[in-house]
Amino acid sequence: MQSLPSPVELERLVDTTTRLRAGIESVITGRPELIRTSLAVLLAEGHLLLEDVPGVGKTTLAKAIARSIDAQVGRIQFTPDLLPSDLTGVNIFRAQTHEFEFRPGPVFAHVVIGDEINRASPKTQSALLECMQEAQATVDGRTYPLPRPFLVIATQNPVEMEGTYPLPEAQRDRFMARLTVGYPSVESELDMLDLQEDTDPFSRMRPVTDAAAVQGFIDIARRLYAAPSVKRYIVGLVTASREDAGLRLGASPRASIQLLRAAKSLAAMSGRDHVLPDDVQELAVPVLAHRLLPSTESRLSGRTTQDVVTDIVARTPLPAVEPVARARRALG
């Protein structure tokens, strides 16, 4: 087992993520918890699904995250006529050399922004499955690795359903977290008007870090300590979702893994080398709710999967936290 991250490594991670949050908050005002969770997904090497009504800042948040990192960025505007090769790339025949040359698509980037992903056909949506799960793309029988880190930030509009193709369960399960941006408060919206009255806030954004540093922070976050009791707590939450009468589909084992990784990232951003149950509780709804399918009775009563996860967290006993000093001795 790898050693715990040193205080110097954690300090560097906290300093960088603090500056990242400050830069993104200069564009997305009044949503610190949303930005904090988004960065936790980034450090957990997951993928992010932003779902909300038009005009609340889904694409703006995705662009702000991409702009704050000095890395390759791919942008895809999903439409019904988009083809899988428009995402992954295509082989072009060169008459001069009588050979095929591979031209990479926009998924060959560190941060891929997929705008209105539910407007593409299921065939095109499925082209992202291999990319998101295995960080690779297969074109004409040949597999190409994608750059690391690799983050997909997709947006979708749940209101305008005409001409859309809802994401299947298998694809939703590939996203580590689903977040809703929500309407800003009155004060935040007034600040937004002042900031964007005569200038583009993106013109003031400068990269805070680069792709290599982010990959290093991902490695640091994965080395955090999660006590056996915390892992049992995560499995208990996931198991409860499979047994809840209000659901007809519970969370998958992938959900357990991703909840643990996201909790480690959140703990690292707090400057800790160990995970607390509080980290798991904070991320339970964004990481689990979008993977669940409500029962007919839940839908008729207006009970959402977010409500179910909140109830599961409330009734699941908190674990006893193992002393960190003992964990440090065990890990050397």
Side-chain angles (χ1 to χ4, degrees):
M1 182 178 291
Q2 291 182 312
S3 61
L4 292 171
S6 67
V8 174
E9 289 176 314
L10 285 174
E11 183 180 357
R12 190 170 72 250
L13 185 151
V14 171
D15 175 69
T16 302
T17 54
T18 300
R19 289 187 288 120
L20 281 171
R21 290 167 62 183
I24 298 171
E25 286 175 2
S26 68
V27 178
I28 304 291
T29 58
R31 299 173 179 87
E33 294 180 358
L34 174 73
I35 296 170
R36 173 179 161 90
T37 305
S38 300
L39 292 181
V41 172
L42 170 67
L43 296 187
E45 204 170 18
H47 306 291
L48 186 61
L49 179 62
L50 301 174
E51 181 179 284
D52 218 319
V53 297
V56 294
K58 301 185 299 296
T59 306
T60 302
L61 174 60
K63 290 169 59 180
I65 295 172
R67 186 71 65 90
S68 61
I69 303 171
D70 185 13
Q72 296 173 295
V73 179
R75 170 73 184 271
I76 306 166
Q77 185 66 50
F78 284 87
T79 57
D81 59 349
L82 199 71
L83 299 175
S85 58
D86 295 328
L87 275 63
T88 58
V90 64
N91 285 307
I92 299 175
F93 183 74
R94 296 294 185 186
Q96 297 87 344
T97 60
H98 299 283
E99 294 179 348
F100 283 94
E101 177 184 319
F102 177 62
R103 178 166 295 179
V107 297
F108 285 83
H110 294 104
V111 180
V112 178
I113 302 173
D115 206 10
E116 295 189 307
I117 189 173
N118 57 334
R119 293 205 175 277
S121 67
K123 182 177 182 180
T124 302
Q125 291 176 5
S126 65
L128 278 175
L129 288 175
E130 180 187 13
C131 302
M132 294 171 66
Q133 181 62 27
E134 302 174 44
Q136 64 183 33
T138 301
V139 181
D140 293 339
R142 183 174 178 182
T143 300
Y144 301 88
L146 297 176
R148 307 295 288 269
F150 178 67
L151 170 69
V152 173
I153 307 175
T155 71
Q156 68 174 358
N157 177 2
V159 178
E160 290 183 57
M161 300 308 294
E162 183 178 353
T164 63
Y165 303 86
L167 293 178
E169 290 77 14
Q171 184 128 17
R172 290 205 307 270
D173 202 44
R174 297 302 201 278
F175 287 98
M176 177 172 283
R178 180 187 65 183
L179 299 175
T180 56
V181 179
Y183 290 113
S185 64
V186 174
E187 292 76 12
S188 297
E189 196 158 358
L190 286 171
D191 291 340
M192 191 185 308
L193 293 180
D194 291 336
L195 286 171
Q196 303 188 28
E197 182 176 6
D198 53 3
T199 59
D200 179 5
F202 284 106
S203 64
R204 299 190 296 269
M205 285 199 72
R206 296 293 181 270
V208 172
T209 186
D210 57 24
V214 171
Q215 187 62 51
F217 294 143
I218 290 171
D219 296 336
I220 291 172
R222 289 202 176 178
R223 286 159 46 202
L224 262 66
Y225 177 73
S229 58
V230 173
K231 293 179 181 178
R232 282 193 295 270
Y233 179 58
I234 291 174
V235 173
L237 293 175
V238 172
T239 302
S241 74
R242 300 167 189 162
E243 300 170 350
D244 195 287
L247 300 172
R248 62 186 179 91
L249 178 66
S252 66
R254 183 186 288 120
S256 302
I257 298 170
Q258 296 198 340
L259 182 54
L260 174 61
R261 289 180 177 175
K264 284 187 174 186
S265 297
L266 202 63
M269 290 170 59
S270 300
R272 283 183 276 108
D273 60 3
H274 59 283
V275 180
L276 295 177
D278 293 353
D279 302 316
V280 178
Q281 287 185 323
E282 183 175 340
L283 292 164
V285 170
V287 173
L288 298 180
H290 66 288
R291 308 170 190 270
L292 313 177
L293 288 181
S295 64
T296 303
E297 292 78 9
S298 294
R299 290 203 311 271
L300 292 176
S301 64
R303 190 170 182 238
T304 65
T305 54
Q306 292 93 324
D307 296 331
V308 175
V309 174
T310 301
D311 292 344
I312 290 174
V313 171
R315 69 173 185 259
T316 302
L318 286 171
V321 180
E322 180 179 337
V324 181
R326 185 190 307 169
R328 290 196 180 99
R329 287 197 300 270
L331 293 175

